[in-house]
Amino acid sequence: MPQAIGISTGGAPVRGACPHDCPDTCALLTTVEHGRAIRVQGNPAHPQTDGVLCTKVSRYAERTHHPERLLQPLKRVGPKGAGQFEPVSWDAALDDIAARLKAIAARDPEAILPYSYAGTMGLVQSEGMAARFFHQLGASHLERTICSAAGTEALVQTLGGKVGMKVEFFAQSKLILIWGSNSIASNLHFWRQVQQAKRDGARIVCIDPRKTETADKCHEHIALRPGTDAALALALMHELIRNHWLDHDYIAQHTLGWERMRERALQWPPARAAEICGIPVQQITDLARDYGTTRPAAIRLNYGVQRVHGGGNAVRAIASLPALTGAWRHRAGGVLLSSSGHFPIDRAALHRPDLLGARRPRTINMVTIGDDLLREATQDFGPKIEALIVYNSNPVAVAPESGKVVQGFARDDLFTVVLEHFQTDTADYADYLLPATTQLEHWDIHASYGHTDVLLNRPAIAPVGQTRTNTDVFRGLAARLGFTDPGFADDDATLCRAAFGDAVGFDELLENGFATLPISDAPFASGGFPTPSGRCEFFSARLAAQGLDGLPDHVPNYEPAGSSTAYPLAMISPPARNFLNSTFVNVKSLRDIEGEPLLEIHASDAAARGIATGDVVRVFNDRGAYHCKAVVSPRARPGVVNGLGVWWRKLGLHGTNVNQVTSQHLTDLGRGPVFYDCRVEVASLPAASPSPA
Ligand SMILES: Nc1nc2c(c(=O)[nH]1)N[C@H]1C(S)=C(S)[C@@H](COP(=O)(O)OP(=O)(O)OC[C@H]3O[C@@H](n4cnc5c(=O)[nH]c(N)nc54)[C@H](O)[C@@H]3O)O[C@H]1N2
Ligand SMILES: Nc1nc2c(c(=O)[nH]1)N[C@H]1C(S)=C(S)[C@@H](COP(=O)(O)OP(=O)(O)OC[C@H]3O[C@@H](n4cnc5c(=O)[nH]c(N)nc54)[C@H](O)[C@@H]3O)O[C@H]1N2
Ligand code: SF4
Ligand SMILES: [Mo]
């Protein structure tokens, strides 16, 4: 082992990294006393963190030493979903799991499916050892699409990858468009940059159907209908062209497909977009003027825009804007959706796809897990899913159309193993529930999607109770299945080193806890996009070759709001500030701040339905019903209701959460989810009807 695992016995705080699915990837300092983590703080030496953490992770010691933390392996004794377990030894659990997987694999390893996402973003405890295990086994691949797939594909087709402005330079911008992002809630350290820019005179505009706490603090809020962002972006292009607010040199030298893009944009006069977006024409023309005439101008785009049918096209249209005005020339101009493509991760070394040999297992999309768990074997689909290994994810709460997801997890002939910190909604359906270490108890290494520093996480305390790392569980299963590749013996510190190889200095990481990637301040000032053409591709030949539109366009929602249907309201379900997806819902101090599951509804929509603040309502469509309390609020625009946060079903009202009504449709690009493209009706729930339909 290259570095002894130094569990702190007290003294200097231990340097770590926040593991959560958040663009900020903060550097942590954990204070330990008598083997217990007593305080988790932001590392003041890390410039992006600047010594500040969000409320959630400030409570990390509370989460780690939580009285309900899973501390020993458990085996199901009651019916599926009842959450009744008895303790079992690690050896007994792993022996039985290995035997069950071996029997299924002997018939068809593709009947086994891993299900994981970003409970931890650590490269080691996420797929470090797990991917090796499932590759060697020949299990089905999981398409990890549930968050950012449409935006990712859009960036790849437009800019060439998940690359963009460096976050620290937003502070120097003179105009910032915060587009589909509630930054104060979910990108706090970016918000600090905005505040600096604002103090220096920048204009800040928020583009979001919901009047968020971020919108409250911007100079202007553009409350467009969900799923209409591409129309707005195309109308902005229209105005940039009409008013000659273009950087012709930049366009000529560093873009592809301008003539075609121009023709497309000219079909989008502001009046046309205003009608679709449900906003005043003047708001569009004013925004175009500001964007066309202010230097430097920056766009912080977030994944909120791409959870609708046309999410990929919307991101393509928005990501094209800075090339029109040449905003990229300045380090405080351009767009940032994700910075993760800047990181030289050696995925082949870490995940070892070579262990697959000649096998090419089928792929299951994590968004459609509800339908897929209920499918029988067919030629097209392949084998029925017989075993599910869930880690770093809570699909019963977070996946769309949860009625179907629950039905799938409840199958008596499905063998389910869940690696978790807590007994989540998903854990209730496990045959084996295995207690996992938290970030304070294991090694890991982190890229980021909001800045460009690599962070190393050292364990601060020994594993609590009998908890084991995810990597250890997969090593244990590999040994029992007779996997002999030496890669299965790699310890976590070795995996940390493998993640970046020689591309990042490991000594610097050991010393400081973080290392900054050498990226130029204005990466695309002179073009050099990582696309096939090296240009910003307005027109994507690769998309056209797939029979798709080569140019970005407005793609209407599957389920637009409208009075002509039984479900006239559009529902979006953005993150709650004090939870992280479904993580932290069980931390009481944070749940107390959130209060209870809420639906924000505009006064006009509430009046039409006789709904008042505090009423228990039924939010429903053909897929199911979600019960929560209504808040009549100007945060909701007319025609759109906001269901906040992904609550644990069992901590919500009547065992429901917002995903009861969301759909399994997929986005135009990237096969992602459409959580915010969802039509519902809302009605007061008589006090005596607790059972959700
Ligand atoms: N506190 C907290 N932080 C988080 C998370 C969390 O759950 N809680 N989640 C984390 C995760 S998983 C991710 S992926 C990241 C980023 O996650 P994002 O989901 O991008 O996070 P937000 O910025 O909070 O929310 C997106 C915003 O988009 C808005 N929106 C919804 N539909 C549309 C639309 O059609 N157009 C436009 N313009 N806006 C729309 C919503 O109202 C919301 O304000 O944040 C991470 N950070
Ligand atoms: N309606 C609606 N649904 C949504 C969204 C939305 O905005 N609206 N957002 C979507 C988005 S953007 C995302 S990213 C997904 C997120 O979906 P998930 O990735 O499933 O995220 P979480 O709900 O945070 O669940 C992560 C789980 O991993 C566990 N975990 C954390 N660290 C470890 C570890 O080291 N080992 C093990 N074994 N377990 C660990 C945590 O305890 C937690 O229960 O949800 C999506 N669902
Ligand atoms: S959740 Fe985000 S803001 Fe909070 S500590 Fe982690 S990285 Fe920082
Ligand atoms: Mo996400």
Side-chain angles (χ1 to χ4, degrees), residues 2 15 214 226 424 494 513 526 588 626 664 682:
R15 284 187 294 273
T214 305
T424 59
T494 304
S526 313
K588 188 166 181 314
Y626 168 44
Q664 296 179 71
V682 182

Side-chain angles (χ1 to χ4, degrees), residues 63 307 392-394 398 419-420 470 573 582-583 659 676:
R63 184 175 184 275
R307 298 189 185 114
N392 305 338
S393 185
N394 184 10
V398 305
L419 285 63
E420 251 301 348
N470 292 343
S573 47
S582 78
T583 304
N659 279 320
Y676 306 162

Side-chain angles (χ1 to χ4, degrees), residues 578-594:
N578 295 288
F579 302 151
L580 211 133
N581 303 320
S582 78
T583 304
F584 296 106
V585 179
N586 61 323
V587 175
K588 188 166 181 314
S589 62
L590 295 169
R591 195 166 67 242
D592 286 346
I593 310 176
E594 279 301 315

Side-chain angles (χ1 to χ4, degrees), residues 17-28 49 52-58 185-189 451 580 584:
C18 175
H20 288 296
D21 187 350
C22 168
D24 297 20
T25 320
C26 290
L28 308 182
T49 307
V52 178
L53 301 179
C54 63
T55 318
K56 309 176 287 295
V57 175
S58 305
S186 58
N187 194 185
L188 190 62
H189 295 76
H451 60 66
L580 211 133
F584 296 106

Side-chain angles (χ1 to χ4, degrees), residues 21 117 146-148 303 307 449 581:
D21 187 350
Y117 199 65
I146 200 146
C147 170
S148 59
Y303 288 112
R307 298 189 185 114
Y449 62 102
N581 303 320

Side-chain angles (χ1 to χ4, degrees), residues 492-552:
D492 289 355
T494 304
L495 293 172
C496 284
R497 282 181 187 265
F500 292 96
D502 294 332
V504 175
F506 206 74
D507 290 341
E508 186 184 349
L509 285 173
L510 285 170
E511 181 71 21
N512 297 332
F514 59 90
T516 300
L517 297 177
I519 296 162
S520 66
D521 286 356
F524 309 116
S526 313
F529 293 93
T531 50
S533 63
R535 291 162 175 251
C536 170
E537 297 197 351
F538 301 138
F539 180 82
S540 165
R542 291 177 290 171
L543 288 180
Q546 295 169 43
L548 300 169
D549 193 345
L551 292 171

